[in-house]
Amino acid sequence: MRKIRHQTWQKRAVQLVALVGAAAGLAGGGQVVAHASSLAIPDISEWQGKLSSGQVANLKNQASFVINRRQYGAGYQDVDATNNTNLYVKYGIPFGEYDYARFTSASSAKREAQTFYNRSNKNAQFYVLDFEENDVTSGSTNAAVAAWLNEMRSLTSKHLIFYSYQSFATTYANSARQNFDAQWIANYSYQPTIPMALWQYTDHNYLPALNEYTDNSKVITAVHPVTWWADDSVAAALTHAPAMPATNATSATPSTTTPTVSAPSSTTSFQAGQRAYLHRDAVTLNGAALSKRKTQKLYSISRVKANGTAVYLKGLNQWVKASDVTGYWSGSHRAFKLTRRLNLYTSASLTRRTGSYYVAGDTVKGKLVKAPNGRAYRIKTKLGYLTANVKDSTLA
């Protein structure tokens, strides 16, 4: 993970190789598409430079989450850390931050932790101690690592992670590392044999969004799921990004068909307070025809028949069959548990997919907003828009 500025010639060589590879792919008429199973978990530092809005916007669908270096010891803050982490926040990419340890004792480890936390972007999902170089000259390395951890525990309740390569971890922090919430271990030859929750398996993974190679890691889901590392709703959607052919892949043409409003299934459970879209050919519970000017509108549900077969619509002031309305969540609810797979869309009109989706069982956090046509509600998330149809989710 250690990379310094004077290696610029190596970086340029890597970028040249990446550029040639990218050009070859474009010449073939395709573009690189990330598979769901291969979404990156890159380590990014000033080595990658100052990221642009365009790069981070593209990175959103190529990474489950990012781990960004904040400082190289207390004496040096990465020049691009603030810019890059602010962009992760702007584009909804979960991230953690790490401190490359340069402390020399337990007391300096405590000060380094304080400096690290003060500099950090407080939207970080977790914090990492990158301990791979022994600069300790006073006391033991285990005591210094423990001091860093204890100080961070006093500053934040977020997950604290220990990073190193296997032989260094067992030699210099074998006891202290085991008190962290998780261990992130590097080994580019084979899977480490010590306990870990995240494995940095390569330093040469190509990221199309950045047009260069970075370190990359894999989550050991038997220890912690992806959602442990990042905001549940964001990480889940990124993890479910659709797998598409990586060879001769072309840009998928998003669906531009406006979703049709369908009658709720027999399992739909309406509640007072929900909004209901009244279908064009709806009739009253007694079978009386309704004026067309009263249909194809949103109403509030004020009452529901005990058997669920009819709802009373405020404003219409009539009982109508439940099969003649589509129900939507509305109000100040902020968390929803999905009952089936839902695609994410770029706008509240739900006409163009982002390429990511959630599956049944995922909990989604977002704000309820009205669709542009005024006939439906959507869940606005960090990654895009979902339908707020009550048959597709429950309140979490």
Side-chain angles (χ1 to χ4, degrees):
M1 191 187 286
R2 186 183 185 189
K3 301 177 180 70
I4 51 180
R5 280 286 187 186
H6 67 252
Q7 293 170 314
T8 304
W9 64 272
Q10 289 180 314
K11 181 178 180 182
R12 293 190 183 280
V14 167
Q15 288 176 328
L16 179 60
V17 172
L19 183 60
V20 170
L26 290 173
Q31 70 178 43
V32 179
V33 181
H35 285 262
S37 60
S38 61
L39 285 179
I41 302 172
D43 160 18
I44 292 179
S45 67
E46 66 179 32
W47 175 250
Q48 279 69 49
K50 184 177 181 180
L51 303 184
S52 68
S53 292
Q55 286 178 309
V56 177
N58 289 331
L59 182 62
K60 183 169 70 172
N61 286 323
Q62 295 173 14
S64 289
F65 55 92
V66 171
I67 308 178
N68 200 94
R69 192 174 81 174
R70 171 57 61 172
Q71 65 182 34
Y72 186 70
Y76 183 80
Q77 178 174 200
D78 271 30
V79 294
D80 301 312
T82 298
N83 172 79
N84 294 351
T85 56
N86 285 344
L87 286 176
Y88 305 149
V89 175
K90 179 178 178 180
Y91 289 98
I93 300 178
F95 68 95
E97 294 205 74
Y98 71 91
D99 166 28
Y100 188 101
R102 297 306 310 274
F103 46 70
T104 59
S105 65
S107 58
S108 73
K110 180 178 178 179
R111 290 192 297 273
E112 186 167 313
Q114 293 169 345
T115 302
F116 172 51
Y117 182 74
N118 289 338
R119 287 171 170 167
S120 70
N121 186 313
K122 301 308 182 290
N123 290 292
Q125 302 285 318
F126 55 89
Y127 296 104
V128 181
L129 172 65
D130 176 0
F131 186 55
E132 55 182 290
E133 182 179 358
N134 182 13
D135 294 316
V136 176
T137 57
S138 176
S140 71
T141 51
N142 273 286
V145 170
W148 186 97
L149 175 63
N150 291 337
E151 184 61 23
M152 287 296 291
R153 289 266 188 241
S154 72
L155 297 170
T156 180
S157 60
K158 294 181 179 180
H159 299 316
L160 299 176
I161 318 301
F162 176 86
Y163 169 90
S164 193
Y165 54 96
Q166 182 167 334
S167 60
F168 192 91
T170 56
T171 301
Y172 295 103
N174 202 38
S175 60
R177 65 185 172 86
Q178 299 184 51
N179 294 319
F180 284 74
D181 298 316
Q183 295 183 57
W184 176 23
I185 304 298
N187 191 317
Y188 303 154
S189 301
Y190 56 86
Q191 184 164 327
T193 56
I194 62 175
M196 62 176 178
L198 191 64
W199 172 24
Q200 188 177 84
Y201 68 94
T202 184
D203 62 352
H204 198 69
N205 180 68
Y206 179 66
L207 271 181
L210 306 187
N211 193 27
E212 64 177 285
Y213 293 84
T214 69
D215 298 342
N216 198 40
S217 299
K218 296 179 180 179
V219 171
I220 309 301
T221 55
V223 179
H224 294 303
V226 174
T227 52
W228 186 87
W229 296 88
D231 176 81
D232 287 3
S233 59
V234 173
L238 291 173
T239 303
H240 300 322
M244 300 176 70
T247 56
N248 298 321
T250 57
S251 178
T253 302
S255 170
T256 56
T257 303
T258 303
T260 57
V261 177
S262 57
S265 68
S266 60
T267 58
T268 300
S269 179
F270 293 110
Q271 302 171 15
Q274 294 172 343
R275 300 302 296 266
Y277 173 77
L278 187 61
H279 299 170
R280 178 184 175 86
D281 298 320
V283 296
T284 68
L285 185 58
N286 297 324
L290 289 167
S291 167
K292 297 305 180 189
R293 63 185 177 82
K294 294 183 178 180
T295 63
Q296 295 181 287
K297 292 182 178 181
L298 278 174
Y299 295 92
S300 293
I301 298 175
S302 60
R303 287 181 283 170
V304 181
K305 289 286 187 183
N307 59 8
T309 59
V311 294
Y312 192 87
L313 302 183
K314 183 180 178 181
L316 182 67
N317 300 325
Q318 294 271 5
W319 284 98
V320 299
K321 294 179 180 179
S323 58
D324 282 341
V325 301
T326 296
Y328 292 98
W329 299 112
S330 66
S332 59
H333 306 300
R334 290 291 183 269
F336 308 85
K337 187 169 184 178
L338 303 190
T339 56
R340 70 181 186 93
R341 169 177 162 159
L342 291 180
N343 289 311
L344 274 160
Y345 291 83
T346 60
S347 71
S349 61
L350 303 193
T351 55
R352 188 177 180 88
R353 296 179 184 179
T354 67
S356 294
Y357 60 89
Y358 293 97
V359 297
D362 283 344
T363 296
V364 176
K365 297 175 183 177
K367 178 182 178 181
L368 289 164
V369 297
K370 189 177 286 189
N373 62 12
R375 299 177 178 180
Y377 277 82
R378 315 300 191 202
I379 304 171
K380 182 181 180 182
T381 75
K382 291 181 180 179
L383 296 177
Y385 294 81
L386 302 165
T387 176
N389 193 319
V390 299
K391 70 182 178 64
D392 298 326
S393 60
T394 60
L395 299 181

